[in-house]
């Protein structure tokens, strides 16, 4: 996996993914982005594309060092602002195949590119899944008027059931535009059957068919769109 500077001197072109170059001895990192503006140098009647100066500076600074590339870990990302905010401070886990690190990125000014620092550490991740309680309770109250007294217990049982669902088994819906750690998902059919069973165990025993119709017709409505919140905490070592 380890390579020298000459072996990784080719700059990625548009259409290729960005590359994270990493110098192990110096713990230094440089993002090579194919969409960063490039310069062109005239060679006779033709023009040759030159890599961005940051790329050249990095290779010169680490000439003779052993370099490698880093890969980002899926879903190991944390930011203090939405991803579209240019001033967000972000942390994400990356690896060279042997060790894992935290890649911190930030921008101090709109006129300057994002800066990157490689830190020793990891992201502690936890995920919670919840139902939007108010719209679901109101809909249940409107459809099952004779079971008003049972609804507090039914809602607790439903929330408890949903909180135990693995997030990767849910059907992705959309992400929050304002909160980088919040997304929304729909329940699959087998989840709806779990909710019906949950309601029956909470006292709505005689309403099984009506309960199934209730949940099936609202599978992708507000009442059953669950919230998935990722809790991320950078831990430095």
């Amino acid at each position: 996996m380890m390579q020298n500077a000459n072996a990784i001197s080719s700059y990625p072109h548009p259409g290729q993914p960005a590359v994270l170059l990493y110098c192990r001895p110096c713990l230094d990192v440089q993002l090579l982005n194919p969409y960063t503006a490039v310069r062109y140098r005239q060679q006779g009647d033709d023009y040759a594309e030159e890599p961005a100066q940051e790329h050249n500076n990095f290779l010169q600074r680490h000439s003779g060092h052993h370099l490698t590339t880093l890969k980002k870990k899926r879903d190991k990302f944390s930011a203090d602002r939405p991803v579209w905010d240019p001033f967000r401070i972000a942390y994400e886990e990356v690896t060279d195949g042997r060790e894992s690190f935290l890649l911190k990125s930030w921008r101090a000014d709109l006129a300057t590119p994002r800066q990157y620092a490689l830190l020793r550490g990891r992201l502690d991740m936890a995920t919670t899944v919840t139902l939007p309680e108010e719209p679901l309770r109101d809909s249940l109250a409107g459809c099952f008027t004779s079971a008003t007294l049972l609804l507090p217990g039914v809602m607790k049982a439903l929330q408890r059931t949903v909180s135990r669902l693995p997030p990767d088994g849910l059907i992705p819906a959309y992400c929050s535009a304002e909160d980088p750690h919040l997304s929304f998902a729909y329940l699959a059919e087998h989840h709806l059957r779990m909710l019906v069973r949950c309601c029956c165990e909470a006292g709505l025993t005689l309403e099984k068919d009506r309960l199934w119709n209730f949940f099936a017709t609202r599978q992708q409505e507000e009442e059953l769109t669950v919230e998935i919140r990722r809790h991320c905490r950078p831990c430095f070592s």
Side-chain angles (χ1 to χ4, degrees):
M1 182 124 185
M2 301 300 290
Q3 307 171 42
N4 59 37
N6 292 330
I8 343 178
S9 59
S10 59
Y11 194 77
H13 295 279
Q16 296 178 320
V19 174
L20 275 170
L21 268 187
Y22 160 53
C23 177
R24 178 184 289 272
C26 303
L27 199 67
D28 197 7
V29 65
Q30 174 69 47
L31 179 71
L32 307 184
N33 192 329
Y35 295 100
T36 300
V38 296
R39 296 179 303 173
Y40 293 88
R41 178 169 49 86
Q42 187 170 5
Q43 291 182 336
D45 295 331
D46 297 322
Y47 287 86
E49 183 180 287
E50 292 185 338
Q53 192 57 41
E54 292 81 7
H55 175 220
N56 287 334
N57 291 342
F58 183 86
L59 293 179
Q60 290 172 7
R61 192 164 63 248
H62 299 285
S63 176
H65 295 186
H66 282 84
L67 304 181
T68 185
T69 56
L70 294 171
K71 291 185 177 180
K72 297 180 180 182
K73 292 186 178 180
R74 183 180 178 185
D75 297 329
K76 289 287 188 173
F77 175 86
S78 175
D80 64 341
R81 304 185 189 193
V83 293
W84 49 259
D85 191 321
F87 291 107
R88 69 189 181 280
I89 298 175
Y91 292 92
E92 48 196 321
E93 275 195 31
V94 296
T95 180
D96 63 358
R98 295 170 55 186
E99 295 183 81
S100 293
F101 306 91
L102 273 181
L103 179 69
K104 179 183 178 181
S105 64
W106 72 97
R107 176 184 272 114
D109 188 278
L110 274 178
T112 61
R114 287 185 70 78
Q115 300 179 63
Y116 295 86
L118 204 59
L119 310 170
R120 296 197 180 276
R122 69 186 192 281
L123 279 179
D124 272 357
M125 309 284 292
T127 304
T128 55
V129 182
T130 57
L131 275 170
E133 190 159 324
E134 286 189 13
L136 179 58
R137 183 176 57 241
D138 292 345
S139 290
L140 283 169
C143 290
F144 301 92
T145 54
S146 61
T148 303
L149 296 179
L150 296 174
L151 286 185
V154 168
M155 289 303 305
K156 286 182 180 179
L158 290 174
Q159 286 285 17
R160 184 167 57 249
T161 298
V162 169
S163 70
R164 296 171 178 170
L165 297 178
D168 56 3
L170 301 171
I171 302 171
Y174 52 92
C175 297
S176 169
E178 301 296 330
D179 189 335
H181 301 299
L182 179 64
S183 61
F184 301 86
Y186 303 127
L187 300 172
E189 183 175 319
H190 66 280
H191 296 140
L192 302 185
R193 298 191 185 281
M194 291 172 62
L195 298 189
V196 171
R197 184 166 62 252
C198 178
C199 290
C200 291
E201 292 172 353
L204 297 178
T205 312
L206 303 178
E207 302 285 3
K208 187 174 182 179
D209 290 340
R210 289 186 61 211
L211 283 166
W212 170 252
N213 183 67
F214 175 89
F215 288 119
T217 56
R218 290 168 173 79
Q219 185 176 14
Q220 296 189 9
E221 299 298 330
E222 179 187 16
E223 298 98 315
L224 294 181
T225 301
V226 299
E227 296 182 358
I228 303 175
R229 179 167 291 281
R230 293 188 307 138
H231 305 270
C232 308
R233 184 171 64 93
C235 296
F236 306 102
S237 57

